Amino acid sequence: MSTRLRNDRLLRALARQPVDMTPVWLMRQAGRYLPEYREARARAGSFLTLCTTPELACEVTLQPVRRFPLDAAILFSDILTIPDAMGLGLEFDDQGPHFSRPLRSAAEIDRLGVPDPEEALRYVPDTVRLVRRELDGMVPLIGFSGSPWTLATYMVEGGSSHDYRLIKGLCFTEPAAARRLLDVLARAITVYLNAQIAAGAQAIMLFDTWGGVLTEHGYREYSLDPMRQVVAGLTRQADGRDVPVIVFTKGGSAWLEAQADLGVDALQLDWTVSLASARARVGDRVALQGNLDPALLVAPVARMEAEVRTLLADYGPWPGHVFNLGHGVTPDVDPGHVGRLVDAVHRLSLAYHR
C-alpha cells in the first residue's frame, strides 16, 4: 500500500495545491462505451456478478486508465451494495436496479443493521486491494458510496422513481422513521467507506444522486445533515497521506455554499452552474470538480474542445480544479472521443499552470 504515486495530480488539485496541468477523470469512465468492458460483462454473465467478483471488478476498474492517460481510477462497483447487504434483494433488469423487498414500514426500517464490510461486503475491500496492487502507483484510486438520502430513496421506492412519492411520503408522514433510516445508512456508509480507505482507497466520493429532488429545507434535513454525519466519521489519513472527500449532489447547485461547509475537500458540479460562478460562491474553501455536459462527448471534436477551453477559462489560473463531466459517460460515446477529451484538457490547461 505504500507504493509511491507516480501521478498525484488529482490529490494535489483536491488539496488546492499547484499542479503542472489540470487533472481529469470521468464519472462512469469504466462502462458500456468500452468494448473491453462489454467483453468482461459478457464473461461475467450478469452485472451483479461483475460487481461482486473482485478479479472482474478490478479488471474493469483498470480498463480506462490503461486505455487513456487519466489522472485517477475509480472503483468499479455499484452505489446499492449496502442496501443489498441489508437484505433487500437487489436485482437488475433492462429498466435498471430494483429491490424485491423494498422498505414499506417503520418496523422494517427498525430491523435494519449496519453490515460488516469485511463480511457481507468483503468483495468491495478485496477489489480495492487488488486494484491498488495492479495500479502499482500509476494513479490514485477513488472509492465511493451513495449518500444516505440516495440509498434511502432506492430502498423505499424499490428502484428508480419519477416522482419520489414513497420516500417523500415517509418523510412527511413518519419523519422519525425517515430519520432512523438515514441514521442507520449514515453509520453503514461510514463503516463501508472506512473499509475502502483501510484497503487502499486514496480519495472518497459521495454520490448524492437524488438530493436535488428535495426542497431547500428538505435537502438540509434529509440529505445534507446525514452526509455531514458520514464525513465527520471518515478516516482522513492513510498511507501517510490525507484522504480527500468529494461530494456530488446532482441538481444541487442552489446549495453549494452549504455543501462547502460539510468539511469535504471538493464539490463535484453538474453542468447547470458555471465554474466561475461556483468558485465565486465557495471561494477557496473547497476544490471544484467538473463539469462538461456529457452530451458533448458525442459532438464534433472542435465543438467539444471549444467547451473545454470555456470551462478552463471559467475556472482560471487558480489551484483546485479537477476536470470531469457533469454526470457519467453514456454508452453511445466513441472511446476515441474520450481520448481526445483527456488530451485536450491536459494540453489546453498547461497555460493556466505556468
Side-chain angles (χ1 to χ4, degrees), residues 43-247:
R43 279 191 284 117
S46 74
F47 179 74
L48 266 178
T49 300
L50 190 61
C51 289
T52 59
T53 306
E55 293 76 14
L56 291 173
C58 173
E59 176 187 338
V60 172
T61 300
L62 296 172
Q63 286 171 352
V65 296
R66 286 173 170 162
R67 183 186 269 257
F68 312 115
L70 293 154
D71 294 296
I74 183 166
L75 175 70
F76 180 78
S77 186
D78 192 79
I79 63 169
L80 299 179
T81 51
I82 289 174
D84 185 39
M86 289 177 163
L88 272 66
L90 177 62
E91 299 173 355
F92 287 86
D93 58 26
D94 291 342
Q95 278 67 54
H98 60 89
F99 291 106
S100 59
R101 294 179 292 278
L103 299 174
R104 290 292 185 261
S105 70
E108 290 172 339
I109 291 171
D110 290 341
R111 287 195 289 269
L112 296 174
V114 173
D116 184 338
E118 289 291 350
E119 292 183 5
L121 291 162
R122 185 177 179 85
Y123 60 90
V124 176
D126 280 351
T127 301
V128 171
R129 286 185 275 265
L130 274 176
V131 174
R132 278 294 307 274
R133 186 186 72 195
E134 293 300 315
L135 281 173
D136 193 32
M138 180 195 306
V139 292
L141 172 64
I142 302 167
F144 72 92
S145 173
S147 71
W149 169 255
T150 292
L151 298 192
T153 298
Y154 277 109
M155 293 164 75
V156 172
E157 296 287 337
S160 297
S161 176
H162 297 294
D163 56 15
Y164 310 95
R165 177 178 57 85
L166 297 177
I167 184 64
K168 289 185 176 183
L170 178 70
C171 295
F172 296 149
T173 62
E174 298 187 77
R179 285 191 289 269
R180 290 197 301 274
L181 173 57
L182 292 165
D183 176 70
V184 72
L185 285 170
R187 288 185 283 120
I189 291 165
T190 303
V191 171
Y192 178 61
L193 290 176
N194 281 338
Q196 292 185 36
I197 293 167
Q202 292 150 294
I204 290 296
M205 187 160 173
L206 266 176
F207 285 89
D208 185 34
T209 309
W210 303 127
V213 308
L214 291 162
T215 65
E216 180 170 356
H217 176 76
Y219 177 71
R220 291 176 184 275
E221 181 174 2
Y222 296 116
S223 181
L224 201 68
D225 285 350
M227 286 197 291
R228 192 186 315 278
Q229 181 180 341
V230 172
V231 172
L234 290 179
T235 302
R236 302 299 287 268
Q237 284 199 326
D239 287 353
R241 282 180 172 272
D242 292 338
V243 179
V245 179
I246 310 160
V247 160

Side-chain angles (χ1 to χ4, degrees), residues 9 22-26 29 69-72 322-324 341-343 345-346:
R9 245 179 238 125
T22 301
V24 54
W25 71 275
L26 307 176
Q29 63 188 26
L70 293 154
D71 294 296
V322 176
F323 199 99
N324 208 311
L341 172 67
V342 175
D343 172 73
V345 172
H346 285 158

